[in-house]
Amino acid sequence: MRPKKTILCVDHNEQTLSVRTFLLETRGYRVIALATAHEALDVVQQSVPGSIDLLLADLLLPQMDGNELVRRAKQINPALPAMLVSGTVTSFERASSADVFLPKGACSPVEMLERIRVLVARKRGPKKAVAPVQPAALAQAS
């Protein structure tokens, strides 16, 4: 069995957080559910790079918005994929630090899960070196 992917899920709304946690856990993800951006930054700071597969946060958080959370988390771990979700559809302009922005209510849970699956699957890590193709090898292949 392959190891579970870990999602750091941040939302100040307790009900939304528990629903999102349930949705993700029933799909096989390990979820670290937190209510504040500061707690999330602490977890990112203390975690081994690569141990968190996705940061999923609400855009509108108290004290520090989700965009700032993503910006700071990416300073700590630049390879960490991030998704912001917001109930205000027009706030996507403020979500410039995230890899994906989804408006709450305008996307289905299925769409959200698919976006998460894609982000976790293409989690950025060190690029593998690819040997350059030699012109002689191309000529022989023809």
Side-chain angles (χ1 to χ4, degrees):
M1 190 170 150
R2 64 180 193 204
K4 291 182 178 184
K5 300 290 185 176
T6 301
I7 298 176
L8 180 56
C9 192
V10 187
D11 199 312
H12 66 286
N13 182 319
E14 194 175 306
Q15 184 178 7
T16 302
L17 187 60
S18 66
V19 167
R20 201 168 286 149
T21 299
F22 176 78
L23 179 70
L24 294 168
E25 286 178 343
T26 58
R27 298 310 187 280
Y29 294 105
R30 190 174 145 242
V31 179
I32 301 170
L34 301 171
T36 72
H38 293 290
E39 289 174 321
L41 281 177
D42 288 344
V43 169
V44 172
Q45 184 80 49
Q46 294 167 12
S47 68
V48 175
S51 62
I52 298 173
D53 298 291
L54 177 68
L55 170 59
L56 173 61
D58 190 15
L59 179 61
L60 304 176
L61 294 168
Q63 297 158 356
M64 179 191 315
D65 74 358
N67 201 44
E68 181 65 14
L69 166 61
V70 169
R71 192 183 67 71
R72 290 186 187 187
K74 285 185 177 268
Q75 285 176 339
I76 298 166
N77 181 357
L80 178 64
M83 177 186 290
L84 286 176
V85 181
S86 178
T88 55
V89 177
T90 58
S91 57
F92 70 91
E93 301 94 19
R94 293 179 40 204
S96 60
S97 294
D99 298 300
V100 173
F101 172 80
L102 289 179
K104 274 187 212 167
C107 73
S108 67
V110 172
E111 182 183 354
M112 175 186 255
L113 287 168
E114 179 60 18
R115 295 279 186 103
I116 289 169
R117 187 190 66 74
V118 169
L119 270 176
V120 168
R122 70 178 175 109
K123 184 169 115 176
R124 294 176 301 265
K127 300 280 187 247
K128 291 183 178 150
V130 177
V133 177
Q134 300 299 324
L138 284 176
Q140 289 174 354
S142 306

